[in-house]
Amino acid sequence: MTDFQRPSGRATSDLRTVRLTRHYTKHAEGSVLVEFGDTRVLCTASIEEKVPGFLKGKGQGWMTAEYGMLPRSTHTRMDREAAKGKQSGRTQEIQRLIGRALRAAFDLEAFGERTLHLDCDVLQADGGTRTAAITGAMVAAYDAFSVLLGRGLITKIPVKSFVAAISVGVYRGVPVLDLDYLEDSDCDTDMNVVMTDAGHFVEVQGTAEGAAFDRATLNSLLDIADKGIKELLSLQKQTLGLTK
Amino acid sequence: MTDFQRPSGRATSDLRTVRLTRHYTKHAEGSVLVEFGDTRVLCTASIEEKVPGFLKGKGQGWMTAEYGMLPRSTHTRMDREAAKGKQSGRTQEIQRLIGRALRAAFDLEAFGERTLHLDCDVLQADGGTRTAAITGAMVAAYDAFSVLLGRGLITKIPVKSFVAAISVGVYRGVPVLDLDYLEDSDCDTDMNVVMTDAGHFVEVQGTAEGAAFDRATLNSLLDIADKGIKELLSLQKQTLGLTK
Amino acid sequence: MTDFQRPSGRATSDLRTVRLTRHYTKHAEGSVLVEFGDTRVLCTASIEEKVPGFLKGKGQGWMTAEYGMLPRSTHTRMDREAAKGKQSGRTQEIQRLIGRALRAAFDLEAFGERTLHLDCDVLQADGGTRTAAITGAMVAAYDAFSVLLGRGLITKIPVKSFVAAISVGVYRGVPVLDLDYLEDSDCDTDMNVVMTDAGHFVEVQGTAEGAAFDRATLNSLLDIADKGIKELLSLQKQTLGLTK
Amino acid sequence: MTDFQRPSGRATSDLRTVRLTRHYTKHAEGSVLVEFGDTRVLCTASIEEKVPGFLKGKGQGWMTAEYGMLPRSTHTRMDREAAKGKQSGRTQEIQRLIGRALRAAFDLEAFGERTLHLDCDVLQADGGTRTAAITGAMVAAYDAFSVLLGRGLITKIPVKSFVAAISVGVYRGVPVLDLDYLEDSDCDTDMNVVMTDAGHFVEVQGTAEGAAFDRATLNSLLDIADKGIKELLSLQKQTLGLTK
Amino acid sequence: MTDFQRPSGRATSDLRTVRLTRHYTKHAEGSVLVEFGDTRVLCTASIEEKVPGFLKGKGQGWMTAEYGMLPRSTHTRMDREAAKGKQSGRTQEIQRLIGRALRAAFDLEAFGERTLHLDCDVLQADGGTRTAAITGAMVAAYDAFSVLLGRGLITKIPVKSFVAAISVGVYRGVPVLDLDYLEDSDCDTDMNVVMTDAGHFVEVQGTAEGAAFDRATLNSLLDIADKGIKELLSLQKQTLGLTK
Amino acid sequence: MTDFQRPSGRATSDLRTVRLTRHYTKHAEGSVLVEFGDTRVLCTASIEEKVPGFLKGKGQGWMTAEYGMLPRSTHTRMDREAAKGKQSGRTQEIQRLIGRALRAAFDLEAFGERTLHLDCDVLQADGGTRTAAITGAMVAAYDAFSVLLGRGLITKIPVKSFVAAISVGVYRGVPVLDLDYLEDSDCDTDMNVVMTDAGHFVEVQGTAEGAAFDRATLNSLLDIADKGIKELLSLQKQTLGLTK
């Protein structure tokens, strides 16, 4: 294993360069461009003054997410889902994941009968779009709630805990953090982890792409995920000016 | 915790009564009714003598799964997906999971340019339909390959390892095995685990429905999942007459 | 014609073995597995406490039917309609037929503003699925109304007349009752008949698959349909404990 | 019954005025406007030089029908099916009926690997659109085959027998021929009959809209259908110049 | 250019023979068959006693248009949009154009909370269907408002200005009026112009099919469009009996 | 008119600040971010090594465009078209316009059997998205052809003429260039003009949103469009390094 090397030259538990750019577009209440290396996802948070039918009159809010990829965000052009007339199973799976992660971060009963729509659109894909989306959407949602706070519609940001997400995987036999496209398309195990700033899991989704993996490997992967997520949570708070 | 009790009265690491009935319907090459307590799923395996376009001419086979619920398999009637004209995100997520699990069990390069279609249809739902589906589809697929073997089209069953699946979760603070509907609709954490008979993971999908969960809880959940899956794997082999 | 023989060895006016199993699944208000030989259809009746828009406020109820086939209920696997995103013309034709038949059996003005949803799902097909579905749905609907009666929501079962259905056809020149798959795929005329226990017709749908048929043949077919339906009506009532 | 009267004043076994106008539009190989009183349906027959996949290479032809109603062909405007994105069950049922009827009239093995598309579009509806469509499509198809004959692509019109169709029903207790809209929307039994010029049935579809009907009524209905269809068959041949 | 000749022999600024036949079908409040030579479009205007959601309670009306082509209105049969499950981009573009043109002709605030549905269905196509549709829909709409006036529901026809439409184009280098199919499929520039009887433009849509066109050509095209539209406006009013 | 003022303070024939940023994303052969003031559209050009069915074997290429808006590119969030399962009429109209404009710029017979897909996705909308899209797609297409040239697959860029597009309109009675959102939502006439660098028109699409417009107004609008497009064409060439 001495000559193991990641395509990017990163150490096994190194994140790519991560950037969170707030106010990336002007209309949305929250708008964040998140970059994990060459992966770029635009996360917007939009406030709607009503809730879906199943929540009407219950005095609580809702958060939901949608995910999309621009047709040429990828190496070869993908068909546009709007043109095909349906979203793929992968798209639906990812947007359900983002929604669950963000609903774990905020107190749905603390911002009235409103819906927060999180739109995560991939401008450029290079692996890890779903984890970048969750990490960026957290900041966009926070910004959107700040707008509500500024308008006097809520009395405090209804955050329960910050969440961030990262992928980990077994690349050429070695557990590594934050897989880029080259690693992702050639790994044995791929795991996406969503954690809170209390160090607890919101989601753990591990899949053996090639060989099944054992308990020891699972533990190694969770260890480096924990390290990476702590760094992302720190960056989120710093970007929002909550820490220095 | 002394007075903790599961609605069913089961011990925390007890499976429900599991039954695998082979040859449940007569047309499919493999046809298994799997029952996890009151959950009943019909799993059929159908052989098609061709592969999807992306595999044409590569000399290998493919396995794919579809999942459905009869409209009144559930407590209240659900709209029929065929009538609505689309499958829900949940349906797509489940059928993708079943497909990945089964593709991990068999050697796709060892049965020629054929597709094995796994159809998992829920006749009655009481929690755990996706894990029952995987467990039953394993047996149905094995039976279908036996048909190919009997016809002299393959020289041995192309099984790499048996797979089975179970749900585990945190119900009223306690990790429990094989959640039924009452537990599933009132649990904090829900995890589906797919493992091979080598004791390795194919899938680990844990979601915090309520409170996020810590590493110790994750470990307890994996421990009881391991126990349950070993029992299921044993039952599969016994049902197929591979063990006594 | 001395050596005419049906594939099954049945006499020309023999039904296959018919079984009606009540309470086949546990959630639906009515749940009947109907078997006409190897044809097996699960008929559930679900009560919904509202009516479609066009009946709102009119003080009457509604009954509607849906029909589906599991993908591998048939000799070769059919595409799943939910995955294709639409129901075939055949499916729609059958579910409209079932709905009309059942609405003829019950008094829509005698059970309040409720909808009875009849779901007829074919687990195994061997000819005659639509007539089995009507025959089974009659019993499932009766059971569902018994539930309403038991809850004190209606004062009597709103049945006007029992209905049952059977197929008849001309197989190798001879009119026969209750065609199975082998006969159905090789017959000249195929007719589905729905009758009440007063001996009246609700539906007569005859189609010349091959040669057109004359009036005498039509009369012979109706004669044996009459015989078969009387047997089915008798079995329905016996199954429901209304006769011995 | 002495004061029984049909809304139109017709005798019980009178057809409405029927007109068949050939060459109604100029592009189609066959184009017939058929009028049953105020019901007006444009039937075109289009030849396509290929067959559907399931017939490729079998050396035979195919005939298929589509049916549509202009949005304001009816008393109140109906939604346009193209805008709704799907055809109703009624539409599909009717176009399947038209297709079966026409395939019974022609020898599919006698015109090569070609498809005849029959499009029946209702310009104005006043009851009996499906029977008018079959009656008109017969003439349009004949004309289209004449074009093939004229081009030397076939050696004779591949007609097996002429078919025509009419509705009959029980209106205010009396069997009547060729129901118009007023009768159709207020009848107890509605039956569509398709017959050949040999006097044989191709289709018999009777439905009890209100009270179920007995065998004697069925016989009366078939008697007057027989009379009406003979008149239509005669008119078809006269229009085509086959008789005087 | 001395030997320039249009396929039809018309002079460059001649319309084809235009006919407007009112009351073409009997159910619609307005029903006009418009013919521009061999192009025949049935335009119906249907009144609905409600407005779309976005106008509810605003005290004004709405006008909207739908466009369709019968499958064999064209040289070769087109797939039926209802069967394909979606309207083409061309269809949507045309119906949006018709809607805008008609909304420019009438005062939406002067006929209450009603919707006027304009259905323009092409029975036979020979170029210029969209301009024929607009020209015919104007008359159908006027007739429908006359019905409202006759019922005392409005006090005057809410017409602001008459509109008519014509196509112009550059055919073999020469600007010509009212392109038929032969010209349309072989022209360099195609322009559709909608004008009011005040001589003002409602729509100008010019497209260079082949070579781009210069300002002088644009001016010539507008000159002949102006001439043609004046003739159409005159015919509309004469047909409605507003002028002699 | 002395106190006429545009919301932005621009002179009547001033463009907004226009920026063309090449290589905005890394996977596409051409990738340009075009900004017209606050309107930002990402235009990518993707090369596919095949043509649509109707061009197969004809030795020529094809160019086609798709258009989309991110859900929160607008003031209030729009539903995602992929989630709704269809593209709106507006979307289809715009992508057809972009496709026609670009096909006018390049010689389809000069780059082999390839398709150039132009994807124009609006990141932020502030009026004029379709004209920005055309202007940016021209540069993206040029870059994509440069890639083909660099790979030796073509021998020169197959450009016939540069095209650019701009909107003009009548705002508060005054013809103005390049409408922003405030002007666009409050104007009487809206016109989109596409021109070549030879000063010829490819498209002229003028719509009277409020009052119809006369010939003199049309001429004024075309004059300022001409001025604006010349500036855009100059910027395109400068951005591509073709001029200084």
Side-chain angles (χ1 to χ4, degrees):
Chain A
M1 210 186 307
T2 43
D3 44 70
F4 168 81
Q5 201 169 342
R6 301 181 69 173
S8 58
R10 280 186 284 153
T12 55
S13 58
D14 274 3
L15 292 175
R16 287 174 283 181
T17 304
V18 177
R19 279 198 199 86
L20 292 161
T21 307
R22 293 163 68 199
H23 313 305
Y24 188 72
T25 56
K26 72 173 189 177
H27 299 305
E29 283 77 17
S31 175
V32 170
L33 181 76
V34 55
E35 296 171 87
F36 279 25
D38 278 346
T39 288
R40 283 152 59 181
V41 184
L42 174 52
C43 305
T44 62
S46 300
I47 296 162
E48 187 186 20
E49 290 291 324
K50 68 175 189 187
V51 284
F54 70 93
L55 284 180
K56 219 161 268 178
K58 302 206 170 160
Q60 73 160 87
W62 186 241
M63 297 178 74
T64 184
E66 290 186 2
Y67 171 92
M69 299 184 90
L70 294 195
R72 196 53 195 282
S73 58
T74 44
H75 281 74
T76 53
R77 187 179 180 274
M78 298 162 47
D79 287 339
R80 186 177 290 266
E81 292 190 328
K84 287 197 298 181
K86 57 184 260 186
Q87 294 179 302
S88 71
R90 176 185 174 276
T91 293
Q92 294 197 53
E93 204 168 300
I94 293 174
Q95 60 196 14
R96 285 158 58 86
L97 171 68
I98 301 171
R100 286 197 309 271
L102 271 287
R103 288 193 293 274
F106 293 92
D107 180 357
L108 300 180
E109 309 201 343
F111 58 92
E113 292 213 349
R114 294 185 172 89
T115 298
L116 202 77
H117 292 274
L118 299 160
D119 287 290
C120 301
D121 285 276
V122 178
L123 303 189
Q124 189 170 278
D126 192 43
T129 62
R130 78 189 73 187
T131 52
I134 290 168
T135 304
M138 177 72 216
V139 178
Y142 197 97
D143 271 342
F145 284 119
S146 297
V147 168
L148 281 184
L149 187 67
R151 291 180 191 157
L153 294 168
I154 52 175
T155 55
K156 64 185 194 83
I157 305 292
V159 67
K160 289 193 301 189
S161 51
F162 271 71
V163 299
I166 201 67
S167 74
V168 287
V170 178
Y171 176 69
R172 307 212 166 164
V174 180
V176 296
L177 180 71
D178 187 19
L179 286 73
D180 58 29
Y181 175 78
L182 284 177
E183 293 166 331
D184 193 29
S185 47
D186 186 28
C187 72
D188 271 319
T189 295
D190 183 11
M191 184 173 295
N192 292 292
V193 181
V194 186
M195 290 180 79
T196 66
D197 52 0
H200 292 178
F201 298 108
V202 172
E203 293 274 342
V204 176
Q205 295 198 342
T207 295
E209 303 280 344
F213 54 99
D214 62 19
R215 189 80 170 259
T217 303
L218 175 64
N219 281 323
S220 302
L221 291 169
L222 293 176
D223 288 342
I224 57 174
D226 187 90
K227 171 186 175 293
I229 288 177
K230 282 196 169 66
E231 293 173 28
L232 294 171
L233 288 162
S234 168
L235 181 64
Q236 287 172 329
K237 291 178 184 177
Q238 194 181 316
T239 301
L240 284 164
L242 302 176
T243 59
K244 280 170 278 186
Chain B
M1 207 190 306
T2 43
D3 43 71
F4 168 80
Q5 203 171 341
R6 301 179 71 172
S8 60
R10 279 186 283 152
T12 53
S13 59
D14 275 2
L15 293 173
R16 287 174 283 181
T17 303
V18 176
R19 279 198 197 87
L20 292 161
T21 306
R22 294 163 68 200
H23 313 306
Y24 189 72
T25 55
K26 71 172 189 178
H27 299 306
E29 284 74 20
S31 175
V32 171
L33 182 77
V34 55
E35 297 171 87
F36 278 25
D38 278 346
T39 288
R40 284 152 58 181
V41 183
L42 175 52
C43 304
T44 61
S46 300
I47 297 162
E48 188 185 20
E49 289 292 324
K50 66 175 188 186
V51 286
F54 70 94
L55 284 179
K56 219 160 269 179
K58 303 205 171 161
Q60 74 160 87
W62 186 241
M63 298 178 74
T64 184
E66 289 186 2
Y67 170 93
M69 299 185 89
L70 294 195
R72 195 53 194 282
S73 58
T74 44
H75 281 73
T76 53
R77 186 179 181 275
M78 298 162 48
D79 286 340
R80 185 178 292 266
E81 291 189 329
K84 286 197 297 181
K86 57 184 260 187
Q87 295 180 301
S88 70
R90 177 186 174 275
T91 291
Q92 295 197 53
E93 202 169 301
I94 292 175
Q95 60 196 13
R96 284 160 57 87
L97 171 67
I98 300 171
R100 286 197 308 270
L102 271 289
R103 286 192 294 273
F106 293 92
D107 181 356
L108 300 180
E109 309 200 342
F111 58 93
E113 291 213 350
R114 297 186 170 89
T115 299
L116 201 76
H117 292 274
L118 299 160
D119 286 289
C120 300
D121 285 276
V122 179
L123 304 187
Q124 189 170 277
D126 192 44
T129 62
R130 80 188 71 186
T131 51
I134 291 168
T135 304
M138 177 71 216
V139 178
Y142 196 97
D143 271 342
F145 284 118
S146 297
V147 168
L148 280 185
L149 187 66
R151 292 181 190 156
L153 295 167
I154 52 176
T155 54
K156 65 185 194 86
I157 305 291
V159 66
K160 290 192 301 190
S161 51
F162 271 72
V163 299
I166 200 66
S167 73
V168 287
V170 178
Y171 176 70
R172 308 212 166 162
V174 181
V176 295
L177 180 71
D178 188 18
L179 285 75
D180 59 29
Y181 175 78
L182 284 177
E183 293 166 332
D184 192 30
S185 47
D186 186 29
C187 71
D188 271 317
T189 296
D190 182 12
M191 182 174 295
N192 292 292
V193 182
V194 185
M195 290 180 79
T196 67
D197 52 0
H200 293 179
F201 297 109
V202 172
E203 292 275 342
V204 176
Q205 294 200 341
T207 297
E209 304 279 344
F213 54 99
D214 60 20
R215 188 78 172 259
T217 302
L218 174 64
N219 281 323
S220 302
L221 289 169
L222 293 175
D223 287 342
I224 57 173
D226 186 272
K227 171 187 175 294
I229 287 177
K230 282 195 169 66
E231 293 173 27
L232 293 171
L233 288 162
S234 167
L235 182 64
Q236 287 173 330
K237 291 177 184 178
Q238 193 181 318
T239 301
L240 284 165
L242 302 176
T243 58
K244 279 169 276 184
Chain C
M1 209 186 304
T2 42
D3 43 71
F4 169 80
Q5 203 171 338
R6 301 180 70 173
S8 59
R10 280 186 283 154
T12 54
S13 60
D14 275 2
L15 293 174
R16 288 174 282 181
T17 302
V18 176
R19 279 198 198 87
L20 292 161
T21 306
R22 294 164 68 200
H23 312 306
Y24 188 72
T25 55
K26 71 174 191 177
H27 299 307
E29 284 75 19
S31 175
V32 171
L33 180 78
V34 55
E35 296 170 87
F36 279 24
D38 277 347
T39 288
R40 283 150 60 178
V41 184
L42 174 53
C43 304
T44 61
S46 300
I47 297 162
E48 188 186 19
E49 290 291 323
K50 67 175 189 187
V51 286
F54 70 93
L55 285 179
K56 219 160 269 180
K58 302 207 171 158
Q60 73 160 89
W62 186 242
M63 297 178 74
T64 184
E66 289 186 1
Y67 170 93
M69 299 185 89
L70 295 195
R72 195 52 195 282
S73 57
T74 44
H75 281 72
T76 51
R77 186 178 181 275
M78 299 163 46
D79 287 339
R80 187 177 290 266
E81 292 190 328
K84 286 197 296 182
K86 60 184 258 186
Q87 295 179 302
S88 70
R90 177 186 173 275
T91 291
Q92 295 196 53
E93 202 168 301
I94 292 175
Q95 59 196 14
R96 283 160 57 88
L97 172 67
I98 300 170
R100 286 197 309 270
L102 271 288
R103 287 193 294 273
F106 293 92
D107 181 357
L108 300 180
E109 309 201 341
F111 58 93
E113 291 212 350
R114 296 185 171 88
T115 298
L116 201 75
H117 292 274
L118 299 160
D119 287 289
C120 300
D121 285 276
V122 178
L123 304 188
Q124 189 170 278
D126 192 43
T129 61
R130 77 189 74 187
T131 53
I134 290 168
T135 304
M138 176 72 216
V139 179
Y142 196 97
D143 271 341
F145 284 119
S146 297
V147 167
L148 281 184
L149 187 66
R151 290 180 190 157
L153 295 168
I154 54 176
T155 56
K156 66 184 191 83
I157 305 291
V159 67
K160 288 192 302 188
S161 52
F162 271 72
V163 299
I166 201 67
S167 73
V168 286
V170 178
Y171 175 70
R172 308 213 165 162
V174 181
V176 296
L177 181 70
D178 188 17
L179 286 73
D180 59 29
Y181 175 77
L182 284 177
E183 294 167 330
D184 193 30
S185 47
D186 186 28
C187 73
D188 271 318
T189 297
D190 182 11
M191 182 174 296
N192 293 292
V193 182
V194 186
M195 291 181 79
T196 67
D197 52 0
H200 292 178
F201 297 109
V202 173
E203 293 274 342
V204 177
Q205 294 199 342
T207 295
E209 304 279 346
F213 55 98
D214 62 18
R215 189 78 169 261
T217 302
L218 174 64
N219 282 323
S220 302
L221 290 169
L222 293 175
D223 288 342
I224 57 173
D226 186 271
K227 171 184 175 296
I229 288 177
K230 282 195 170 67
E231 293 174 27
L232 293 171
L233 289 162
S234 168
L235 181 64
Q236 287 173 329
K237 291 178 184 178
Q238 194 181 316
T239 301
L240 285 164
L242 302 175
T243 59
K244 278 169 278 185
Chain D
M1 208 188 305
T2 42
D3 43 73
F4 169 81
Q5 204 170 339
R6 300 180 71 173
S8 59
R10 280 186 284 153
T12 54
S13 59
D14 275 4
L15 292 173
R16 288 174 283 182
T17 302
V18 176
R19 277 199 200 86
L20 292 160
T21 307
R22 293 164 68 201
H23 312 306
Y24 188 72
T25 55
K26 71 172 189 178
H27 299 305
E29 283 75 18
S31 174
V32 171
L33 182 76
V34 55
E35 296 171 86
F36 279 24
D38 278 347
T39 288
R40 284 153 59 180
V41 184
L42 174 52
C43 304
T44 62
S46 301
I47 296 162
E48 187 186 19
E49 290 291 325
K50 65 174 190 188
V51 285
F54 70 94
L55 286 179
K56 218 160 268 178
K58 302 205 171 162
Q60 72 159 89
W62 185 242
M63 299 179 72
T64 183
E66 289 187 1
Y67 171 93
M69 300 185 88
L70 295 195
R72 195 53 193 284
S73 58
T74 45
H75 282 73
T76 52
R77 185 178 182 277
M78 298 163 46
D79 287 338
R80 186 178 291 267
E81 291 190 328
K84 287 197 297 182
K86 58 185 259 188
Q87 295 179 301
S88 71
R90 177 186 173 275
T91 291
Q92 294 198 52
E93 203 168 301
I94 292 174
Q95 60 197 13
R96 283 159 57 86
L97 172 67
I98 300 170
R100 286 196 308 271
L102 271 288
R103 287 191 294 272
F106 293 92
D107 181 357
L108 300 180
E109 309 200 342
F111 57 93
E113 292 213 350
R114 297 185 171 88
T115 299
L116 201 75
H117 292 275
L118 299 160
D119 286 289
C120 301
D121 284 276
V122 179
L123 304 188
Q124 189 170 277
D126 193 43
T129 61
R130 79 188 72 185
T131 52
I134 291 168
T135 303
M138 177 73 217
V139 178
Y142 196 98
D143 271 342
F145 284 118
S146 298
V147 168
L148 281 184
L149 188 65
R151 289 180 193 158
L153 295 168
I154 53 176
T155 56
K156 66 185 192 84
I157 306 289
V159 68
K160 289 191 303 187
S161 51
F162 271 72
V163 299
I166 200 66
S167 73
V168 286
V170 179
Y171 175 69
R172 307 211 166 164
V174 181
V176 296
L177 181 71
D178 188 19
L179 286 74
D180 59 28
Y181 175 78
L182 284 176
E183 293 166 332
D184 193 30
S185 47
D186 186 29
C187 73
D188 271 319
T189 296
D190 183 11
M191 182 173 296
N192 293 295
V193 182
V194 186
M195 289 179 79
T196 67
D197 53 0
H200 293 179
F201 298 108
V202 172
E203 292 274 341
V204 176
Q205 295 199 340
T207 295
E209 304 279 344
F213 55 98
D214 60 19
R215 188 80 169 259
T217 302
L218 174 64
N219 281 321
S220 302
L221 290 169
L222 293 175
D223 287 343
I224 57 175
D226 186 89
K227 172 187 175 294
I229 287 177
K230 283 195 168 66
E231 293 174 27
L232 293 171
L233 288 162
S234 168
L235 181 64
Q236 286 173 329
K237 291 177 184 177
Q238 194 181 315
T239 301
L240 284 164
L242 302 176
T243 59
K244 279 169 277 186
Chain E
M1 208 186 307
T2 43
D3 44 71
F4 168 80
Q5 202 171 340
R6 300 181 69 173
S8 59
R10 281 185 283 152
T12 54
S13 60
D14 274 2
L15 291 175
R16 287 173 284 181
T17 305
V18 176
R19 279 198 197 87
L20 292 160
T21 308
R22 292 164 69 199
H23 313 306
Y24 188 72
T25 55
K26 72 173 189 176
H27 299 306
E29 282 77 19
S31 175
V32 171
L33 183 76
V34 56
E35 296 171 88
F36 278 25
D38 278 346
T39 288
R40 284 151 60 180
V41 184
L42 173 53
C43 305
T44 61
S46 300
I47 297 162
E48 188 186 19
E49 289 292 323
K50 65 176 191 187
V51 285
F54 70 94
L55 284 178
K56 219 160 267 179
K58 303 206 171 160
Q60 73 160 88
W62 186 241
M63 299 179 72
T64 184
E66 289 186 2
Y67 171 92
M69 299 185 89
L70 294 195
R72 196 54 196 282
S73 58
T74 44
H75 281 73
T76 52
R77 186 178 181 274
M78 297 163 46
D79 287 338
R80 187 178 290 266
E81 292 190 328
K84 286 198 296 182
K86 58 184 259 186
Q87 295 180 302
S88 70
R90 177 186 174 273
T91 292
Q92 294 196 55
E93 202 167 300
I94 293 175
Q95 59 196 14
R96 284 160 56 87
L97 171 67
I98 301 170
R100 287 197 307 270
L102 270 288
R103 287 193 294 273
F106 293 93
D107 181 357
L108 301 179
E109 308 201 340
F111 56 93
E113 292 212 349
R114 297 185 171 87
T115 299
L116 202 76
H117 292 274
L118 299 160
D119 286 290
C120 300
D121 284 276
V122 178
L123 304 188
Q124 190 171 276
D126 192 44
T129 62
R130 78 189 74 187
T131 52
I134 290 167
T135 304
M138 177 72 216
V139 179
Y142 196 97
D143 271 342
F145 284 119
S146 298
V147 168
L148 281 184
L149 187 66
R151 291 179 190 158
L153 294 168
I154 53 176
T155 56
K156 65 184 195 82
I157 306 290
V159 67
K160 290 192 301 189
S161 52
F162 271 72
V163 299
I166 200 65
S167 73
V168 287
V170 179
Y171 175 70
R172 307 209 166 166
V174 181
V176 295
L177 181 69
D178 188 19
L179 286 74
D180 58 30
Y181 175 79
L182 284 177
E183 294 166 331
D184 193 29
S185 46
D186 186 30
C187 71
D188 270 320
T189 296
D190 182 11
M191 183 174 296
N192 293 292
V193 182
V194 186
M195 289 180 80
T196 67
D197 52 0
H200 293 177
F201 297 109
V202 173
E203 292 275 341
V204 176
Q205 295 199 341
T207 296
E209 304 278 345
F213 55 100
D214 62 17
R215 188 77 171 259
T217 302
L218 174 65
N219 282 323
S220 303
L221 290 169
L222 293 175
D223 288 342
I224 58 173
D226 186 90
K227 172 187 174 293
I229 287 177
K230 282 195 169 66
E231 293 173 27
L232 293 171
L233 288 161
S234 168
L235 181 64
Q236 286 172 329
K237 291 177 184 177
Q238 193 181 316
T239 301
L240 285 164
L242 302 175
T243 59
K244 278 169 277 188
Chain F
M1 206 187 309
T2 44
D3 43 72
F4 168 82
Q5 203 171 340
R6 300 181 72 173
S8 59
R10 281 186 283 153
T12 55
S13 59
D14 274 3
L15 293 174
R16 288 174 282 181
T17 303
V18 176
R19 279 197 198 89
L20 292 160
T21 307
R22 292 164 69 199
H23 312 306
Y24 188 72
T25 55
K26 71 172 190 178
H27 299 305
E29 283 76 18
S31 174
V32 171
L33 182 78
V34 55
E35 297 171 86
F36 278 24
D38 278 346
T39 288
R40 284 151 59 180
V41 184
L42 173 54
C43 305
T44 62
S46 301
I47 296 163
E48 187 185 19
E49 289 292 325
K50 66 175 190 189
V51 285
F54 71 93
L55 285 179
K56 219 160 269 179
K58 302 204 171 162
Q60 73 159 90
W62 186 242
M63 297 179 74
T64 183
E66 289 187 1
Y67 171 92
M69 299 185 89
L70 294 195
R72 195 55 194 283
S73 59
T74 45
H75 281 74
T76 53
R77 186 179 180 274
M78 299 163 46
D79 286 340
R80 186 179 290 265
E81 292 189 328
K84 287 198 296 181
K86 57 184 258 185
Q87 295 179 303
S88 71
R90 177 186 174 275
T91 292
Q92 293 196 53
E93 204 167 299
I94 292 174
Q95 60 195 13
R96 284 159 58 86
L97 171 67
I98 300 171
R100 285 197 309 270
L102 271 289
R103 286 191 295 272
F106 293 92
D107 181 356
L108 300 180
E109 310 199 342
F111 57 93
E113 291 213 351
R114 297 187 170 87
T115 299
L116 202 75
H117 292 274
L118 299 160
D119 287 288
C120 301
D121 285 275
V122 178
L123 303 188
Q124 190 170 276
D126 192 44
T129 62
R130 80 189 71 186
T131 51
I134 291 168
T135 304
M138 176 72 216
V139 178
Y142 197 97
D143 271 340
F145 284 119
S146 298
V147 168
L148 281 184
L149 188 65
R151 291 179 191 158
L153 295 167
I154 54 176
T155 55
K156 65 184 193 84
I157 305 290
V159 67
K160 289 192 302 188
S161 51
F162 271 71
V163 298
I166 201 66
S167 74
V168 287
V170 179
Y171 175 69
R172 308 211 165 165
V174 181
V176 297
L177 180 71
D178 187 17
L179 286 74
D180 59 29
Y181 175 78
L182 284 176
E183 292 167 331
D184 192 29
S185 47
D186 186 28
C187 72
D188 271 319
T189 295
D190 182 12
M191 183 173 296
N192 292 293
V193 182
V194 186
M195 290 180 79
T196 67
D197 53 1
H200 293 178
F201 296 108
V202 173
E203 293 274 342
V204 176
Q205 295 198 341
T207 296
E209 304 278 346
F213 55 99
D214 61 18
R215 189 78 171 259
T217 303
L218 175 65
N219 282 322
S220 303
L221 290 169
L222 293 175
D223 288 342
I224 57 173
D226 187 89
K227 170 186 177 295
I229 287 176
K230 282 194 169 66
E231 294 173 27
L232 293 171
L233 288 161
S234 166
L235 181 63
Q236 287 173 329
K237 292 176 184 176
Q238 192 181 320
T239 302
L240 284 164
L242 302 175
T243 58
K244 277 170 277 186

